[in-house]
Amino acid sequence: MARGDPEHGIQRYDVPLREYRMLAATTEVDYPYFPFRISIDFVLVHNAAESQSKGKYREFFEKAVQKEGLIIRHQQSGQTHFTLISTPFHRLSREAESTQMCFPLKDCEVKPGMPSCCVPLSKIFVTDDTVRFINAPFQRKHGSLFVNYHDEKSFFTPAQRGCLTYQILTKIDISKDLKNERLGDSQDSEQEPSSSITSDEQLRRKGLTWLLMRDVYEEAFVLHAPSKEEPYFKEMQNGSLKTYNEFISEIEHDPRKSLSNAWERWYKFQPLNKIRDYFGEQIAYYFAWQGTFITLLWPAVIFGFIVFIYGFIDRFGISSSPLDWNHCKVVNFLGKTENVPCGMRNGVTLFFSMLTQWFMSSFDTKMNAFFAVFMSIWGSVFVQIWKRNNSVLSYQWNSDDFHAIEPDRPEFRGSKMKEDPITGEDIWISPAIFRYLKMIGSFFFVSFSMLLVIISLMLVTLLKIWMVYNFQCNKEYTFNCWLSAAFLPSVLNTLSAMGLGAVYSNLVARFNAWENHRTESEHNNSLIVKIFAFQMVNTYTSLFYVAFVRPESHGLQPNGLFGLGEEFKDTCLDDTCSSLLALQLLTHTLIKPVPKFLKDVVIPYFVKLFRLRMYTSRTEAKRVEAEEDDQANVLVREWLKPSAGDFVLWEMNEKIIMFGTTMMFASLFPLSPLLALIIGFVDMRIDAHRLIWFNRKPIPLITNGIGIWLPILTFLQYCAVFTNAFIVAFTSGFCSTFFADGEYCTVQNRLIIVIVFQNLVFGLKYLLSSVIPSVPASIKVALRKKRYVTAHIMEKGDVPHKTRIKKRTRMVKLAWITSNHKARRGKRKNDTPTPPKMMMKRLLQD
């Protein structure tokens, strides 16, 4: 029943106890003027004990929401107040038409295509059986042409409902209402004379994002679909089976369970269409990119494993001389070996010296140059195949046709008025000179942060040199030397990189906001570039140091590091630097997933426990008798879950860094693709599980690809060509192998190797990019057909005749079989069955 809300002054519908308990198992509620249950599309949360001033903001916003045709309902649990927003079907349809969102057409079924770089081995690996149709921009006057248009519950997917509702809410602007009202009477002005934010005319748009920025609403999120696999229902099943069956009967569909069964299987392909239907295009594109990356790693893994086995056999396999336990051969920190009398040496020490010698010489082989060429070309093939997959997905999902209206960021502050050339209205702008000056300031900050990374590396190097001198590793490379002078510095470099990265991430977000970007896309793109630039230097500096500064033949430390003397040299022989680089890369690869797991799983778990404790304390203070009902409420359960945050940004950054590491340094560590494959495969399934069950459902967003990450991928593949060329020429032993006489390995000859390598690789890359088109021929034909169908609908108001021929043919064949069957039974003895071709011709003529 509707009644007045004393706080908001608007009509409010309180949820009755029966429906309140029903919310434990469904995300739909009953409205008095709807003949069916309507879903909750968006939830806003605030503390009911807040001041009256913020209540005024909520009042204006909710009135604007109702004017937009959305339905608002309130529910309170303790001191936590939930504002439930539902979007009726007609309002979703109007928004879908204005944004040109595409939907499938009836009788226009197409074969479901799954973007893949290779032919599927068998249908047992396929998980996505979604039927796909030709799509066209939605028009309400031609609504009957679209699939499920008359079924209001199934026409829009969960992601589309959330995206369209969020689109409507972000376009709402209450700045004019606030300006007219001035937030109440003089009594309110006396209470807050200087904190009135309505006088700040530079913040023109005041909508949902602005309210969240000002903490008018604490949080805004989209509800997950109810599922029988939730821990709450499993606990209920162990208790009262009658209550469990009563609650479960409310769950008609279980999309999360279906998605989990298809997505979390380790041997199956990803159900990309189902991911898109539930989470939206932005997250679906990320997992599509990761799936392409993992799939294309298999050739690199196989080739890299062959190179590793070849190095293992070449160095100490069949061709090696048998071990002589009477003559001990030891290796020092620089990789030099010498014979020493065994004396009192035990077998363990001798075995470790032998193992160290094998390890230091097993990664630099004759195959490294060929593997470097392969990995450089592999990067180009990967980028080209991803473009093809992206074009396939863009066609299937029609993400290029969506025209979202992107409002100004609430943090944007203009200092000058200018007429909008499109609308003619006066808008606030920030002069370009101010933005450029701020960008220069951010550039110096990023550069200073990179300098700190280099200083951190130098400090760890000085510590390593001190340990080498202290443990006398320049004489013999013992286990203590390996632990203190090799493994520990690698761990310190990795921990330093992760610590600096965590501090930098917090600071760079503030600097990026200080640049005052107008739109969210500009803000995100600038943030991505800053984060990637730092993480690239933060991750690759130690690897570049081992590859190009430490080799003794390069002569970069003639008098020790920083000129401190011969005893402070940090060098390695040409054929052992590869092994040290492999050790550093191995440490990076194995240690970096640990803090990511802590950040993604462990810390959010404790945050959830903390939020649960805070919520329980609020509930006990007001409504102890309703605690059981509150815990059963789906709103409370979803609110207590940790937010996924900028999921795509941080996950893509992590995977792009791994992609660059695999391409640039795999030539000296052939097992790097294997490690990347294992980590990516496990991480993908963990991300799937936490998105479905652990985190809140991210707000679905529509994009047409991975955005600015694609130019970053192109940049990395060119960096990989130059890096591999210099590694082959200067770091590996390819030059001494190519020239029988080592005297010919001069700087000039090494540069010739670099030039030949680069020209060869760039030529092959250009050839492959020409052979592999970015858009498949089938997609070009499909796009032409889609344009034809769309134009026909706009002109004639129906689907073209030819797109339904297959269905009519099936109907004609069925009619011919029926008539033939009747004729055989003698029911129509004088009739001759009409052949299907003739019947088809007559039907088309009619």
Side-chain angles (χ1 to χ4, degrees), residues 90-226:
H90 67 87
R91 185 62 183 88
L92 289 172
S93 301
R94 182 154 56 95
E95 188 67 21
E97 184 176 9
S98 65
T99 55
Q100 300 184 20
M101 182 178 284
C102 294
F103 291 88
L105 293 168
K106 291 181 180 178
D107 304 333
C108 297
E109 182 178 343
V110 294
K111 293 182 179 180
M114 182 174 60
S116 176
C117 64
C118 57
V119 179
L121 299 178
S122 174
K123 292 184 179 180
I124 63 173
F125 298 108
V126 178
T127 57
D128 202 336
D129 55 354
T130 306
V131 179
R132 288 293 161 185
F133 300 82
I134 295 178
N135 291 260
F138 178 73
Q139 293 180 348
R140 286 176 290 173
K141 63 180 180 180
H142 301 316
S144 59
L145 301 178
F146 296 90
V147 177
N148 295 329
Y149 177 72
H150 298 291
D151 187 358
E152 297 187 4
K153 287 190 174 183
S154 60
F155 181 71
F156 292 98
T157 64
Q160 289 172 342
R161 294 191 67 96
C163 179
L164 291 173
T165 303
Y166 180 70
Q167 179 82 0
I168 296 171
L169 295 177
T170 53
K171 290 190 298 184
I172 293 177
D173 186 12
I174 62 172
S175 58
K176 293 181 179 179
D177 296 331
L178 294 176
K179 183 178 180 181
N180 295 332
E181 293 290 337
R182 289 297 181 183
L183 283 179
D185 54 10
S186 57
Q187 181 179 358
D188 295 331
S189 300
E190 292 177 0
Q191 293 176 357
E192 295 180 323
S194 61
S195 61
S196 177
I197 44 185
T198 55
S199 60
D200 188 0
E201 295 293 342
Q202 296 178 1
L203 292 175
R204 295 300 303 274
R205 178 176 290 274
K206 296 179 173 66
L208 176 61
T209 53
W210 180 82
L211 295 174
L212 292 171
M213 181 188 71
R214 304 296 301 187
D215 293 329
V216 176
Y217 291 105
E218 294 179 0
E219 291 174 278
F221 59 92
V222 180
L223 292 175
H224 268 298

Side-chain angles (χ1 to χ4, degrees), residues 65 110 137 282 434 463 485 496 594 686 734 771 796:
V65 170
V110 294
Q282 187 185 57
F434 294 156
L463 176 64
S496 173
V594 176
I686 292 177
F734 176 78
V771 173
K796 301 293 182 62

Side-chain angles (χ1 to χ4, degrees), residues 604-648:
Y605 175 76
F606 286 103
V607 170
K608 179 181 179 181
L609 293 181
F610 175 76
R611 291 166 62 90
L612 178 60
R613 183 176 179 181
M614 294 294 294
Y615 164 76
T616 305
S617 64
R618 288 183 184 180
T619 304
E620 290 178 351
K622 295 290 181 182
R623 297 171 53 194
V624 180
E625 69 279 1
E627 181 177 355
E628 182 179 354
D629 288 336
D630 288 340
Q631 292 176 355
N633 193 340
V634 65
L635 301 175
V636 176
R637 292 201 308 269
E638 292 298 317
W639 174 63
L640 291 175
K641 290 180 179 180
S643 173
D646 294 328
F647 174 82
V648 175

Side-chain angles (χ1 to χ4, degrees), residues 204 415-421 423-430 518:
R204 295 300 303 274
S415 59
K416 184 179 179 181
M417 294 289 295
K418 182 181 178 181
E419 182 180 352
D420 192 329
T423 62
E425 298 179 354
D426 291 335
I427 60 173
W428 286 97
I429 65 168
S430 178
R518 176 179 287 275

